[in-house]
Amino acid sequence: MISSDGIRGYNDMMILYLILNEPSYGYEISKEIKNRTNSSYIIKETTLYSAFTRLEKNGYLESFYGNETFGKRRTYYRITDAGIAYYQEKCREWQLTKEVVDKFIF
């Protein structure tokens, strides 16, 4: 299992990646992170929703209600143009971070 401390700075990148092509909602995003990491990283609900709030405040994503016909209405999130630019910046940052850390791994 990956410690949340080690990956904290990249939660935004993972969330934005998952909504690059189509909007999604919290539970689906959380489930997809868990599935893609083979349960090595499970994002906490509070971490996820704090990220949504921060990303929306910074203009990187926008929220809207879905058109569910039953049950509670879901809040969906879609990436903005600024969010795409931020995602690309985070990817470059990750590449540099990985290059540096790789120099200390045998």
Side-chain angles (χ1 to χ4, degrees), residues 52-67:
F52 287 151
T53 300
R54 181 181 57 259
L55 289 166
E56 188 166 28
K57 180 181 173 191
N58 290 329
Y60 301 144
L61 60 75
E62 55 190 19
S63 62
F64 62 96
Y65 287 113
N67 294 325

Side-chain angles (χ1 to χ4, degrees), residues 11-31 33 43-68 72-81 83-84:
N11 284 324
D12 292 357
M13 185 177 75
M14 291 185 284
I15 292 166
L16 293 173
Y17 173 82
L18 293 173
I19 61 172
L20 274 172
N21 296 315
E22 68 179 298
S24 191
Y25 57 96
Y27 175 74
E28 282 298 314
I29 291 170
S30 173
K31 188 170 78 172
I33 289 170
I43 192 167
K44 295 177 185 168
E45 189 173 327
T46 54
T47 302
L48 182 64
Y49 286 95
S50 292
F52 287 151
T53 300
R54 181 181 57 259
L55 289 166
E56 188 166 28
K57 180 181 173 191
N58 290 329
Y60 301 144
L61 60 75
E62 55 190 19
S63 62
F64 62 96
Y65 287 113
N67 294 325
E68 289 81 18
K72 185 179 175 187
R73 286 186 355 177
R74 292 183 180 132
T75 301
Y76 285 79
Y77 300 90
R78 77 175 131 241
I79 196 167
T80 63
D81 289 341
I84 292 170

